[in-house]
């Protein structure tokens, strides 16, 4: 009974956190939409690196899903391999996000200063805020990977693993939303 109460409490805290993050990004994207009516609004193409990073984040979500399936089958070695792949793909996502920022700068789209514009500033703020959540997810992934390698997770005991998977899939889905949003609303 005590374990069920603990599990429910942790899941509720995670869901409340994710709802709060969703509301924050809803506010930021709403402000973006409202700001599009400004006279100084500049439309731009998304950097090609953002398309590549999207593939990385989708693949990382698939790898994490498969790692949980392996854990539930009791295959610690495969679980570790797939968690490592998830981590590498997550780091690849971060790399391509920063590459995308470089491409934006090369295109003359800055976040601050006399050459900046509202549209690119919004893009930088929203994607950088998402990156902060990805960094949190990477820290959690490293911890889950370590705990899995040391035998802390099993078919019967995997709460931290499961919560981490939920969070990782959430930040992945959040990026997909942002990517689609920026693709259609420029």
């Amino acid at each position: 009974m005590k374990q069920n109460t603990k599990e429910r409490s942790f899941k509720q805290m995670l869901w409340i956190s994710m709802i709060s993050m969703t509301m924050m990004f809803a506010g930021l994207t709403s402000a973006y939409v409202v700001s599009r009516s400004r006279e100084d609004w500049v439309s731009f193409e998304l950097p090609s690196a953002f398309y590549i990073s999207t593939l990385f984040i989708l693949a990382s979500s698939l790898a994490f899903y498969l790692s949980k399936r392996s854990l539930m089958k009791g295959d610690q070695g495969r679980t570790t391999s797939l968690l490592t792949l998830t981590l590498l793909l997550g780091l690849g996502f971060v790399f391509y996000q920063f590459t995308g920022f470089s491409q934006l700068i090369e295109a003359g789209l800055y976040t601050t200063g006399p050459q900046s514009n509202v549209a690119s500033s919004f893009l930088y703020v929203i994607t950088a805020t998402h990156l902060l959540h990805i960094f949190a997810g990477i820290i959690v992934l490293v911890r889950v990977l370590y705990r899995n390698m040391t035998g802390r997770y099993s078919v019967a005991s995997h709460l931290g693993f499961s919560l981490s998977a939920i969070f990782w899939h959430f930040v992945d889905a959040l990026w997909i939303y942002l990517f689609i949003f920026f693709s259609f609303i420029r």
Side-chain angles (χ1 to χ4, degrees):
M1 182 79 173
K2 185 178 179 184
Q3 182 65 23
N4 278 342
T5 303
K6 179 181 175 183
E7 185 174 328
R8 273 198 325 267
S9 295
F10 283 133
K11 283 184 178 179
Q12 285 176 347
M13 288 188 306
L14 177 61
W15 282 104
I16 289 168
S17 297
M18 291 187 315
I19 290 167
S20 297
M21 288 180 247
T22 301
M23 291 172 61
M24 178 184 64
F25 281 99
L28 287 170
T29 54
S30 294
Y32 181 93
V33 169
V34 169
S35 296
R36 286 180 55 225
S37 64
R38 291 174 49 126
E39 290 180 23
D40 59 346
W41 187 263
V42 176
S43 289
F44 55 87
E45 295 294 320
L46 284 179
S48 60
F50 281 10
Y51 291 85
I52 297 168
S53 70
T54 301
L55 295 176
F56 271 81
I57 204 80
L58 286 170
S60 76
S61 216
L62 177 61
F64 209 150
Y65 168 76
L66 293 174
S67 72
K68 182 158 185 209
R69 285 186 56 185
S70 294
L71 175 71
M72 299 313 287
K73 292 178 181 176
D75 189 346
Q76 184 185 6
R78 183 166 166 77
T79 302
T80 298
S81 296
L82 287 164
L83 282 173
T84 302
L85 179 60
T86 302
L87 178 61
L88 293 173
L89 290 166
L91 292 171
F93 173 82
V94 171
F95 173 79
Y96 279 103
Q97 288 289 287
F98 280 105
T99 301
F101 292 157
S102 295
Q103 290 174 343
L104 288 169
I105 291 168
E106 288 171 11
L109 298 167
Y110 301 93
T111 187
T112 61
Q115 296 175 328
S116 69
N117 66 65
V118 176
S120 63
S121 293
F122 262 113
L123 178 68
Y124 279 105
V125 167
I126 293 170
T127 55
T129 303
H130 180 262
L131 268 176
L132 289 174
H133 292 89
I134 289 289
F135 285 135
I138 287 173
I139 291 167
V140 168
L141 263 174
V142 168
R143 184 172 186 271
V144 167
L145 180 58
Y146 173 77
R147 289 177 61 90
N148 185 69
M149 290 170 54
T150 57
R152 295 265 184 82
Y153 296 122
S154 67
V155 174
S157 177
H158 54 84
L159 177 61
F161 193 105
S162 295
L163 294 174
S164 301
I166 291 168
F167 180 73
W168 190 256
H169 295 314
F170 169 75
V171 293
D172 292 358
L174 185 58
W175 172 253
I176 300 305
Y177 160 72
L178 292 172
F179 180 76
I180 292 169
F181 175 83
F182 285 124
S183 294
F184 291 105
I185 301 177
R186 289 183 260 173

